[in-house]
Amino acid sequence: MIVGLAACECMIYESQSLKDKRAVLQRIMTRLKRKFNVSVAEVDFQDTWQRTKIAIVVVASARVPAESELQHALKYLDSFPEIERTITDIEYL
């Protein structure tokens, strides 16, 4: 069993409040969960209105499918114009 974790720091430049940020994040995280077999959560910068860190986690039987699922989820995350991924750390456990 392999657990893949992608921790992504992101900027939401259009956000003017925590409410704006949470609305954007909720929509993106819900779509990621629906489209891919992943878990997603905001793990840092909860009180900062233009910056966030989200964790995307996948569990698979081998490393190759875990890598593939994470890479597809990250590519999908990058398709949202309102959020910019700045730093990404990927680990496999």
Side-chain angles (χ1 to χ4, degrees):
M1 177 178 69
I2 296 290
V3 177
L5 164 67
C8 310
E9 286 191 30
C10 302
M11 298 298 294
I12 306 171
Y13 295 110
E14 300 296 319
S15 176
Q16 298 299 314
S17 67
L18 287 175
K19 187 176 178 180
D20 289 346
K21 172 190 166 183
R22 291 193 177 117
V24 168
L25 275 181
Q26 188 62 41
R27 186 170 50 82
I28 291 171
M29 291 191 309
T30 299
R31 289 184 181 179
L32 276 167
K33 290 175 193 177
R34 283 187 188 155
K35 190 167 177 81
F36 302 98
N37 188 20
V38 297
S39 292
V40 185
E42 183 179 20
V43 295
D44 203 357
F45 308 112
Q46 286 94 343
D47 294 330
T48 307
W49 48 273
Q50 287 189 324
R51 186 176 180 194
T52 189
K53 186 172 190 176
I54 60 173
I56 303 171
V57 179
V58 63
V59 177
S61 59
R63 185 175 171 131
V64 171
E67 285 178 353
S68 177
E69 194 74 4
L70 271 183
Q71 290 303 320
H72 285 102
L74 291 173
K75 185 175 180 181
Y76 187 67
L77 176 64
D78 291 339
S79 74
F80 291 94
E82 59 268 47
I83 193 166
E84 179 184 351
R85 186 163 51 106
T86 57
I87 299 171
T88 303
D89 295 317
I90 299 176
E91 294 181 44
Y92 297 95
L93 311 167

